[in-house]
Amino acid sequence: MSKSKLIMGISVLAIAGALLIAADHLDAPSSGGTTADIADFFAFEPTLGSDNTTFVVDLQSSVLPDLAYGSFDEDVLTEINIDTDGDLVEDYVIQAYPQNGTMYFFAGVPVQTGLNSQILADSPLGEVVISGSTAIVAEGMNGTKLFAGPRQDPFFFDFFQFNAVINPDVNSAPMGFKTAAEAEDTFDGANTMSIVVEIPNSMVGTTSTTNALGIPVYKTWVTTNRKQ
Amino acid sequence: MNFNKFKYSILTLLAATVLMACNNDDMQMEEMAVATCNDGIMNGDEEGTDCGGSACEPCADSTAPDFTGTFAQADHMGRPGINTTLSFDMDGMPSVKDAHNVTIPSEMTATFQAGFQARLEQYHDVYANKLGLDPMDVNYENNILGLDAATLTTVLAADALDVAPDAPTTYFDPGTDADNDGNILVPDGDEVALTGRALQDDVIDVSLILFFGGMNGDRFSGQDLDNDGMADLPRLTSDGVALTATINSDFPYVSAPE
């Protein structure tokens, strides 16, 4: 995307009064654009039939100018929450906390649930030196794989057209999104600060809850938490 | 100088030296004796102020990580795009998007479902107006999962991403119908979907299909109804873009920054 197009897009947004980006980039005024802004969250089997689950958390994004991007904030704890009994309260947490160029990981049953968290300092999972552009990967407990550093932002979305689509002005994108030939991925070329953890399911434990199709699942969400 | 005077001088000098030596010893002994670990002064054999050495607690390594303290939630995310697309400020709830980020998931449905459903309907009204139709006539229709607006927004309001430990990962695969019963993702126990989110999954198109696609997933897909080469219905079920980042097969899977 050319810079002038980007600036034009931003000024259109300013007029529309809405600056919205999915997946979770800039999703809300208080967190948007800060070092604690969650950009994205992924959870998947690394290979078909694997006994591990991979979690990818992206913080910050360079998708728009003037956003926080480039280093992890040492006051921000990232927490992957896992509910295994369907009450939407975390039963197991994986924490990532950056200090002095290293990302420290912890995992276990949370000391407290809800909006305030403490680091599970007595349950270390491992640590990895925060990468530059070349990935440094470390192995933690039980074969856990750990990574933290800048990566491409894998999210793809025609963000400017989305804002035109939801604009109630009858002349704004009356025919909706663009065709594949015309649409542009706003995130093409954007980077993000990524935390990647691959953990054996046996560490998380079994689950007694299911998805809408009756398949047993972990219910997961990620939070960022700022030191008080 | 006479001898007496010389002797006196020597004695004085010696005495002074001895005294000084004694003084030095006294000082050292005194420092050792009052190895103070709480006076705010680095003394004795302390390695830092009031720490280290033979008497005090070891000094804290200034480069050691600090894992203490309380951390208050700033942002939340489960499924992609939920807060972005479905939270909107209303009378009496002026900061819904911010509120969503600091609400625990077990309380989300009660707090946000009604607003999400209203927002979903509002999107349909926007397009009714753009098409020159009565908003009362253009409403959400049950989607490809068979969910009505209330059920869909109830599911989505509890913002957690399902990930199956023992099933293949697919955010949503509308092509799955293992028993060939003609039902695409109508829960009958044979389909696999909603089992996680892979890096390649087109989550925006999935969300759009679930919001605007109706029962077959293509309700508003830019159809050309009169075959004049121009779309007569808006394209709301796909944003038209595909993955542009490079995904690798080995950990950490996402490519180096551009």
Side-chain angles (χ1 to χ4, degrees), chain B:
Chain B
M1 178 184 340
N2 68 25
F3 180 71
N4 274 347
K5 254 192 186 162
F6 176 72
K7 201 166 60 178
Y8 181 74
S9 298
I10 293 287
L11 279 172
T12 309
L13 203 67
L14 278 169
T17 310
V18 169
L19 272 174
M20 269 171 63
C22 283
N23 254 346
N24 269 348
D25 278 355
D26 281 355
M27 273 170 66
Q28 274 180 1
M29 297 222 356
E30 203 176 328
E31 280 177 14
M32 295 289 279
V34 286
T36 48
C37 301
N38 53 7
D39 61 354
I41 301 167
M42 183 174 158
N43 46 18
D45 64 352
E46 292 175 15
E47 291 155 11
T49 303
D50 293 342
C51 67
S54 54
C56 307
E57 291 289 310
C59 296
D61 180 356
S62 62
T63 61
D66 174 13
F67 299 137
T68 61
T70 297
F71 295 80
Q73 190 165 317
D75 199 358
H76 163 105
M77 179 182 176
R79 296 186 187 89
I82 301 307
N83 196 26
T84 303
T85 56
L86 292 176
S87 290
F88 75 113
D89 296 347
M90 300 172 283
D91 287 345
M93 289 183 84
S95 302
V96 173
K97 288 181 188 298
D98 285 332
H100 189 274
N101 282 330
V102 289
T103 300
I104 58 174
S106 56
E107 293 174 0
M108 282 181 171
T109 298
T111 312
F112 301 109
Q113 183 274 327
F116 278 17
Q117 188 175 343
R119 182 62 160 170
L120 187 59
E121 204 48 62
Q122 202 179 58
Y123 283 144
H124 286 77
D125 292 347
V126 163
Y127 271 84
N129 289 326
K130 289 178 184 182
L131 291 165
L133 302 170
D134 184 345
M136 296 297 286
D137 298 334
V138 182
N139 303 310
Y140 171 89
E141 284 182 3
N142 288 11
N143 66 13
I144 197 167
L145 290 172
L147 304 177
D148 62 23
T151 310
L152 174 65
T153 50
T154 297
V155 171
L156 295 180
D159 188 19
L161 176 68
D162 292 336
V163 58
D166 302 314
T169 302
T170 173
Y171 191 65
F172 182 85
D173 181 359
T176 305
D177 178 18
D179 61 358
N180 295 312
D181 62 358
N183 291 324
I184 298 172
L185 285 183
V186 175
D188 60 3
D190 64 332
E191 296 84 3
V192 173
L194 310 172
T195 52
R197 180 188 174 193
L199 295 159
Q200 301 89 339
D201 285 344
D202 195 339
V203 295
I204 289 297
D205 281 16
V206 170
S207 299
L208 294 171
I209 288 167
L210 293 177
F211 291 179
F212 304 110
M215 287 179 63
N216 297 315
D218 61 356
R219 183 180 173 204
F220 291 110
S221 297
Q223 290 93 333
D224 174 12
L225 301 173
D226 54 12
N227 293 315
D228 65 351
M230 303 282 286
D232 299 299
L233 290 177
R235 185 178 295 101
L236 299 179
T237 52
S238 171
D239 68 347
V241 296
L243 179 76
T244 52
T246 307
I247 308 299
N248 305 320
S249 58
D250 54 340
F251 188 91
Y253 308 111
V254 191
S255 284
E258 297 179 68

Side-chain angles (χ1 to χ4, degrees), chain A residues 83-105:
Chain A
D83 164 32
T84 57
D85 58 11
D87 62 358
L88 292 172
V89 175
E90 58 271 33
D91 301 300
Y92 193 87
V93 295
I94 302 167
Q95 299 173 324
Y97 189 57
Q99 291 278 279
N100 308 313
T102 296
M103 188 67 78
Y104 294 88
F105 291 83

